[in-house]
Amino acid sequence: MGFLAFLILGLIAGAIAKAILPGTQGGGWVITLVLGVVGAFLGGWIGSLIFGGGLGDFFDLRTWLLSILGAVIVLVIYGAVAGRRTRA
């Protein structure tokens, strides 16, 4: 998968993760892109550990599910860290 396709995948996975976890995480599209790309990396790493294969083709369902799962995990962590900063 190319670099641009990976960025698009990350942006969409981040947006879906924000839709799954509504709340006041804050951040705009840039934060969504960064969280989605980091989540895609995390999802690929988790997939390689559990299933023996990471992210595949752009249109592969496993790629999308792993990327969204990773983005949700990263968004939960980001929400916990950002929530601590605003309360302190």
Side-chain angles (χ1 to χ4, degrees), residues 63-76:
T63 298
W64 284 94
L65 293 178
L66 287 172
S67 296
I68 293 169
L69 174 70
V72 166
I73 292 169
V74 169
L75 189 61
V76 167

Side-chain angles (χ1 to χ4, degrees), residues 24-54:
T24 57
Q25 292 95 1
W29 284 105
V30 174
I31 296 296
T32 301
L33 175 66
V34 171
L35 292 177
V37 171
V38 171
F41 275 120
L42 179 65
W45 181 71
I46 290 171
S48 66
L49 288 177
I50 294 174
F51 304 116

